[in-house]
Amino acid sequence: GALVYQYPRRTICKSGTSMRMECQAVGFQATSVAWYRQSPQKTFELIALSTVNSAIKYEQNFTQEKFPISHPNLSFSSMTVLNAYLEDRGLYLCGAREGDDEQYFGPGTRLTVL
Amino acid sequence: GEKVEQHESTLSVREGDSAVINCTYTDTASSYFPWYKQEAGKSLHFVIDIRSNVDRKQSQRLTVLLDKKAKRFSLHITATQPEDSAIYFCAAKTGGYKVVFGSGTRLLVSP
């Protein structure tokens, strides 16, 4: 079956430092990967969408300079939170899909910023 | 762009009763409407979905209704159980790859 893994599952970083999170699709080809953030007590906001053979598209309020994303092949994507501050804390979800099929979500990376 | 509104922020029902969660969307081009469940401290789990070529889909105790004219869709849970307690998110996707989530409904099923 189709599975999406994310690691680390939890991470703590000091304010002003950066942390990288990874997403791996197993059992299907991740032609598109979406990264979401759920801040405390809020819904899931789309950060950016990466589609094979297209430029990575960032949503308003999110930039490549702050959240650089790599999607080098059809099974892997990574995102870094640069210069993390308190407002960056939350659950970061990776959602991957093949073509127009159902989007599969990973378990998320929970980021705590001290 | 697409906006999804989830009307009930919390919903409390007694075990065995039915629960209904309602959502509306703005983009007439949206064609896929998934529902997800998030238990306390955990990630999202897919629950059920509906595509715009049908107006009803049922899976065991879950039914999704879609009213394209009103741009409204709803999740109906029958014979609720305490383990149904969670936050439920509706979402909508247009022809592209972007999925927009509602704000979530906290469902509490009391014994």
Side-chain angles (χ1 to χ4, degrees), chain B residues 4 34 37 45 53 69 106:
Chain B
V4 176
K37 177 180 177 180
H45 284 280
N53 58 342
K69 206 168 173 183
R106 184 179 295 276

Coordinates of all heavy atoms in Angstrom, one line a residue, chain B residues 4 34 37 45 53 69 106:
Chain B
V4 N -12.5 27.3 2.5 CA -13.4 26.3 3.0 C -13.8 26.7 4.4 O -12.9 27.0 5.3 CB -12.7 24.9 3.1 CG1 -13.6 23.8 3.7 CG2 -12.4 24.5 1.6
P34 N -12.2 15.6 0.6 CA -11.9 14.6 1.5 C -12.2 15.0 3.0 O -12.2 16.2 3.2 CB -10.3 14.4 1.3 CG -9.9 15.8 0.9 CD -11.0 16.4 0.1
K37 N -9.5 13.0 10.1 CA -9.7 12.9 11.5 C -8.3 13.1 12.2 O -7.3 12.5 11.7 CB -10.3 11.5 11.8 CG -10.5 11.2 13.3 CD -11.1 9.8 13.3 CE -11.3 9.4 14.8 NZ -11.9 8.0 14.9
H45 N -5.7 11.5 9.7 CA -6.0 10.2 9.1 C -7.2 10.4 8.1 O -8.2 11.0 8.5 CB -6.4 9.2 10.2 CG -5.2 8.6 10.8 ND1 -4.4 7.7 10.3 CD2 -4.6 9.0 12.0 CE1 -3.4 7.4 11.1 NE2 -3.5 8.2 12.2
N53 N -18.7 14.1 -9.0 CA -19.6 13.5 -10.0 C -20.7 12.7 -9.3 O -21.6 12.1 -9.9 CB -18.8 12.5 -10.9 CG -18.0 11.5 -10.1 OD1 -17.8 11.6 -8.9 ND2 -17.6 10.4 -10.8
K69 N -24.7 22.8 -5.9 CA -25.4 24.1 -6.2 C -25.2 25.0 -5.0 O -24.9 26.2 -5.2 CB -26.9 23.8 -6.3 CG -27.7 24.8 -7.2 CD -29.1 24.3 -7.5 CE -29.9 25.3 -8.2 NZ -31.2 24.9 -8.5
R106 N -14.3 19.9 16.6 CA -14.0 19.0 17.7 C -15.3 18.2 18.0 O -16.2 18.8 18.5 CB -13.5 19.7 18.9 CG -13.0 18.8 20.0 CD -12.5 19.6 21.2 NE -11.3 20.4 20.8 CZ -10.1 19.9 20.8 NH1 -9.9 18.6 21.2 NH2 -9.0 20.6 20.5

